[in-house]
Amino acid sequence: MTDAPSPLLRQLPNAVTVARAIAGLVGAWAFVRGGALVEGGADAAASNWAIAAGVIFVLAAASDYLDGWLARRFGAESPLGALMDPIADKILVDAYLVGFLAAFEFDPFLAVPVAIIILRDLLVTGLRLNGLSETDTPLAVTEEAKFKTGVVMILVALPFLLALLNITGWFYIWVGGVWFAALLSAWTGWPYLRAALKR
């Protein structure tokens, strides 16, 4: 029989979750701080900031698996963790999307889908928090929403990979992907609204 994990270890999954949200803000700041467009024309200092932002994002995205594994490993699954995890995901990807928006000078073709994604995330978070004191259980994250989060994470990581491979001419193709993610976001937001109305 193994010893039960210490209270400190049981808090580790939530600590990783919070770190992911903070990393999203720091990484997006690093990207904007460099003043670099992801596609071409950046000096060495700006490129270094962009590389740092890309590394931070990859590590933070990987932690989305890590905190769940730690929670199961230490028997630390909780309603709080279930609530915090998708919020941290949203902060991570939305912060980077705003960073891209700033880097590409608020291009309207990008601004509209980014606004849709962020507004949907705010709405869903509000619905999951609404009435939480009465139930102590947040609305469950749907499989469709998890898929949407995965799509957005891939889209955020893609420009860094393309820049690393020195591939150009991808911007509007990538924006098409962001539009797809925006439509997916709107679609996956409906089950939360329906569930909240039933409550």
Side-chain angles (χ1 to χ4, degrees):
M1 181 175 179
T2 58
D3 294 333
S6 68
L8 183 62
L9 285 178
R10 289 177 60 84
Q11 292 303 315
L12 186 56
N14 288 344
V16 172
T17 301
V18 172
R20 179 163 68 258
I22 295 172
L25 298 174
V26 172
W29 173 84
F31 180 62
V32 175
R33 173 68 177 79
L37 295 182
V38 181
E39 185 175 4
D43 59 25
S47 295
N48 289 338
W49 280 107
I51 290 170
V55 171
I56 290 171
F57 180 80
V58 170
L59 293 176
S63 77
D64 189 27
Y65 169 81
L66 178 62
D67 58 4
W69 180 85
L70 288 171
R72 292 186 295 273
R73 173 68 178 80
F74 297 130
E77 294 167 296
S78 66
L80 177 62
L83 179 66
M84 290 172 54
D85 184 70
I87 292 176
D89 293 343
K90 291 175 177 63
I91 293 173
L92 172 64
V93 297
D94 290 353
Y96 270 82
L97 286 174
V98 171
F100 282 121
L101 196 55
F104 290 112
E105 299 177 347
F106 295 90
D107 184 295
F109 290 102
L110 180 60
V112 174
V114 167
I116 292 171
I117 293 170
I118 292 175
L119 288 173
R120 178 266 184 200
D121 287 348
L122 290 172
L123 174 64
V124 168
T125 299
L127 292 174
R128 296 186 80 236
L129 290 171
N130 183 44
L132 193 60
S133 59
E134 290 88 358
T135 64
D136 290 327
T137 303
L139 292 172
V141 178
T142 65
E143 291 302 317
E144 293 83 359
K146 292 179 182 179
F147 175 73
K148 166 258 177 188
T149 298
V151 168
V152 178
M153 283 187 174
I154 291 171
L155 283 168
V156 170
L158 195 56
F160 294 105
L161 177 62
L162 294 171
L164 184 64
L165 297 175
N166 201 28
I167 297 173
T168 59
W170 49 263
F171 177 71
Y172 285 107
I173 298 174
W174 176 74
V175 169
V178 179
W179 269 101
F180 170 74
L183 296 175
L184 189 61
S185 294
W187 176 65
T188 60
W190 169 245
Y192 292 99
L193 180 59
R194 185 172 55 193
L197 290 174
K198 287 182 179 179
R199 278 190 174 184

